[in-house]
């Protein structure tokens, strides 16, 4: 069962700065100048466009799937599989914390986050917007996931054996 991810949400200003920086990099490499290295002229725009594509694809690979016996979190770097056995779930009391590693582009927050709430110091994040999350814990790690309908997601996990944590 696929769980819809919350619609992408990010700061419009940051999105524009990201697009503008890619455009400036491509244009500056194409402006003729004295003594420009041909490799740099071709490599710089290709690198900028490649990075933009990776960030664009990263947010589109994000998915949450409830399969037989496990929650599967789809990410650009590959799926993360969590068995329902021993899983605890609860609504997050705050938004995402400070991104300490991974991606933090508008519409795709993925990686480690300094959380500082709900009795947690850090969480793994796989989200498309900065708030409205569900904390899913198992073993020594906790993920902050942000589905389109957080309440339905929590109830689906409970129905599959996850425990509610207050």
């Amino acid at each position: 069962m696929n769980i819809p991810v919350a619609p992408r949400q990010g700061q419009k200003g940051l999105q524009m700065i990201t697009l503008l920086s890619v455009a400036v990099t491509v244009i500056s490499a194409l402006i003729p100048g004295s003594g420009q290295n041909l490799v740099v002229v071709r490599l710089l725009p290709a690198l900028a466009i490649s990075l933009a594509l990776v960030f664009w694809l990263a947010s589109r690979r994000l998915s949450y799937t409830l399969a037989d016996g496990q929650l599967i979190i789809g990410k650009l770097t590959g799926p993360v599989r969590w068995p329902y056995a021993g899983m605890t779930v609860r609504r997050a009391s705050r938004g995402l914390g400070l991104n300490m590693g991974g991606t933090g582009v508008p519409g795709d927050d993925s990686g480690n986050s300094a959380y500082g709430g709900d009795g947690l110091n850090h969480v793994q994040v796989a989200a498309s917007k900065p708030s409205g999350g569900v904390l899913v814990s198992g073993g020594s790690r906790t993920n902050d996931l942000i589905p389109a309908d957080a309440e339905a997601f929590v109830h689906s996990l409970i129905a599959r054996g996850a425990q509610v944590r207050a």
Side-chain angles (χ1 to χ4, degrees):
M1 172 182 182
N2 287 331
I3 301 295
V5 175
R8 292 177 58 193
Q9 180 182 340
Q11 299 171 341
K12 294 296 180 192
L14 188 54
Q15 290 174 342
M16 294 307 297
I17 289 171
T18 303
L19 290 174
L20 184 62
S21 65
V22 170
V24 167
T25 302
V26 170
I27 291 169
S28 66
L30 298 176
I31 295 174
S34 60
Q36 278 188 329
N37 186 343
L38 187 58
V39 173
V40 172
V41 170
R42 291 185 180 159
L43 184 65
L44 202 54
L47 180 63
I49 292 169
S50 297
L51 284 173
L53 280 173
V54 165
F55 289 134
W56 180 75
L57 287 172
S59 62
R60 277 144 182 83
R61 294 283 306 202
L62 181 62
S63 65
Y64 312 134
T65 305
L66 300 178
D68 290 333
Q70 62 186 345
L71 164 66
I72 302 170
I73 304 168
K75 300 191 314 184
L76 183 65
T77 56
V80 175
R81 299 173 188 279
W82 279 36
Y84 300 130
M87 178 186 287
T88 61
V89 61
R90 62 183 160 156
R91 290 295 307 267
S93 66
R94 58 172 300 224
L96 300 177
L98 177 64
N99 193 340
M100 302 301 285
T103 61
V105 297
D108 179 37
D109 285 304
S110 181
N112 296 317
S113 178
Y115 192 71
D118 296 315
L120 299 167
N121 292 327
H122 63 84
V123 296
Q124 293 287 312
V125 175
S128 57
K129 68 178 196 173
S131 63
V134 174
L135 297 173
V136 178
S137 301
S140 63
R141 66 181 184 176
T142 300
N143 266 42
D144 192 353
L145 310 177
I146 304 181
D149 185 351
E151 288 301 320
F153 182 59
V154 168
H155 291 300
S156 295
L157 288 173
I158 292 169
R160 287 168 171 78
Q163 301 295 312
V164 178
R165 184 170 169 194

